[in-house]
Each structure stands twice: as structure tokens, then as C-alpha cells.
Amino acid sequence: AQSVTQPDIHITVSEGASLELRCNYSYGATPYLFWYVQSPGQGLQLLLKYFSGDTLVQGIKGFEAEFKRSQSSFNLRKPSVHWSDAAEYFCAVGASNYQLIWGAGTKLIIKP
Amino acid sequence: NAGVTQTPKFRVLKTGQSMTLLCAQDMNHEYMYWYRQDPGMGLRLIHYSVGEGTTAKGEVPDGYNVSRLKKQNFLLGLESAAPSQTSVYFCASSGGNRGQAGYTFGSGTRLTVV
């Protein structure tokens, strides 16, 4: 079955520290992979996407993600987080039936 | 530069009342989606549309109806609201059939059914 797993419901990181949010997927074909961010009270915004080619993709706001086919993972990283990065982050895979399959989200908390 | 606009932003309904949520996009996208978001449950797809005049059921369609009479608009209706439909509703649109161009989301409608 197609699925996306974000193992961490919450992550707390100190401002200025590095960040890695985990995402594992289960999908039979070549996946289209996405990371979205949702700030409090807002809709979701696309951070970055992977379709093919270079497995390290750059996104907005200084985020990057690495696709690892052997691990079925698409982890999101940022070298140094800012207080404004506090938000909920969603990983998704593009399914063939016009839909995205969503992870449950990881809430990022930034410690001053 | 509007993108996806949802109206209303907030609404309180009494059990049994009906309402329609409107989603409008100005990007000429073929695909449109209605999601609900509940704490700890992520995004769940209610209905979607792959073009003007088409609709299809998503993961949680019961209690909702939709219509896509014009390409730019996607309406979500609640015929008889129930407390279980208290949620935040998001509309999204996409130009690709696997979301290749990414989804553009509206800012949401917070609905409370009492």
C-alpha cells in the first residue's frame, strides 16, 4: 500500500542548530516527493520537490532534502534554524491517481 | 496574485444547518482538492476534481458534496452539519496530475459545528 511516514510528531531544536526531519515512503513506482510547510493559522506552502535527477534538492528558505531510494527516504534538512522556521512540516508523495499521499506532519519547535 | 481564495475564513454552524464553502483559483489549474485537517490526523482528502464538470470521492467523502461548474471554482457543501465536521478545511489546486507543479493551498476555513 502507498504510504508516507513521518516518525517524529514533534521535534525541538535550538535556534541556530541544524535540523533533520525524517520522511519514509512506500510507493511502487518512481516517486514524486514533496515537502510542504504550514505556519500557524496558514495554508500549506511548497518547500521543495523531487522528480528525478540529482538526489539532493534545494528549496526555499534555505531547506534541502535528499532522496535515498535504497532507504525509501526523503529527509528534510537545514543547516541552521531560525525562530521563524517554527511550523508544521508535511512530506508527501505524488500518486498516480491525481492525488498526493500525505504524512501526518512533524511540528518543529524552536528553543531560543 | 491571488492564487487560491477560500471563503468564508471562519464559520459557526448549528447541528443540522447547511453551508457551502467556496474555493476560487486564478491559475487556470485543472485539478482541485478539498481537504480537512484535524489535530493529529494530518490532511485527509474529502473530494477532488480533475477538470470542469468532474468530481470524485476522496478518503472521507461522507456528509459532503462538491461541484465544479466552472474551472476556477470548486464548491464544498455540507447539507446537514454534524459536530464531527468541526475542522479546518483547505482547498488546493494543481496544474499536474501527480502534483508535479506542487499544490497551491488556500488559507483555510475554520468551521465549528455546535
Side-chain angles (χ1 to χ4, degrees):
Chain A
Q2 302 164 352
S3 65
V4 176
T5 302
Q6 293 180 246
D8 304 303
I9 298 174
H10 298 97
I11 280 190
T12 300
V13 176
S14 296
E15 189 169 15
S18 63
L19 170 70
E20 183 170 29
L21 301 182
R22 296 183 291 165
C23 174
N24 293 97
Y25 67 90
S26 173
Y27 189 71
T30 301
Y32 289 11
L33 296 161
F34 306 85
W35 275 99
Y36 287 80
V37 60
Q38 184 180 30
S39 298
Q42 300 296 314
L44 282 75
Q45 180 185 21
L46 179 65
L47 276 178
L48 48 78
K49 58 189 176 184
Y50 170 79
F51 296 155
S52 64
D54 192 345
T55 56
L56 185 65
V57 293
Q58 303 296 321
I60 62 171
K61 305 186 181 188
F63 285 91
E64 66 178 27
E66 186 172 12
F67 170 59
K68 294 185 177 180
R69 184 184 297 274
S70 61
Q71 299 177 19
S72 297
S73 69
F74 189 55
N75 294 348
L76 182 71
R77 301 195 294 247
K78 187 169 185 178
S80 175
V81 298
H82 186 262
W83 65 266
S84 60
D85 293 325
E88 191 157 17
Y89 292 80
F90 292 90
C91 181
V93 61
S96 58
N97 58 347
Y98 315 109
Q99 300 176 30
L100 291 185
I101 301 167
W102 295 88
T106 298
K107 189 170 184 178
L108 176 62
I109 300 164
I110 307 294
K111 286 193 302 186
Chain B
N1 197 26
V4 176
T5 303
Q6 289 183 235
T7 53
K9 295 191 182 306
F10 302 93
R11 185 75 186 267
V12 178
L13 283 181
K14 294 183 178 179
T15 298
Q17 286 185 321
S18 64
M19 78 164 294
T20 300
L21 282 67
L22 172 63
C23 177
Q25 54 98 359
D26 61 2
M27 297 166 287
N28 202 35
H29 283 170
E30 288 292 337
Y31 305 90
M32 296 188 74
Y33 307 84
W34 275 107
Y35 287 92
R36 59 177 291 172
Q37 184 177 37
D38 303 289
M41 304 196 71
L43 289 167
R44 292 185 291 170
L45 183 65
I46 304 171
H47 286 281
Y48 64 100
S49 168
V50 301
E52 181 178 311
T54 75
T55 63
K57 294 180 180 180
E59 180 186 356
V60 289
D62 294 343
Y64 305 95
N65 57 75
V66 287
S67 65
R68 182 108 181 261
L69 298 179
K70 293 183 179 180
K71 186 176 184 179
Q72 63 268 34
N73 295 336
F74 194 30
L75 279 62
L76 178 71
L78 286 73
E79 289 188 349
S80 179
S84 61
Q85 294 176 304
T86 294
S87 187
V88 181
Y89 292 86
F90 287 100
C91 177
S93 71
S94 173
N97 67 354
R98 285 173 69 187
Q100 295 97 318
Y103 281 16
T104 301
F105 281 83
S107 58
T109 296
R110 186 173 295 274
L111 175 66
T112 302
V113 182
V114 298

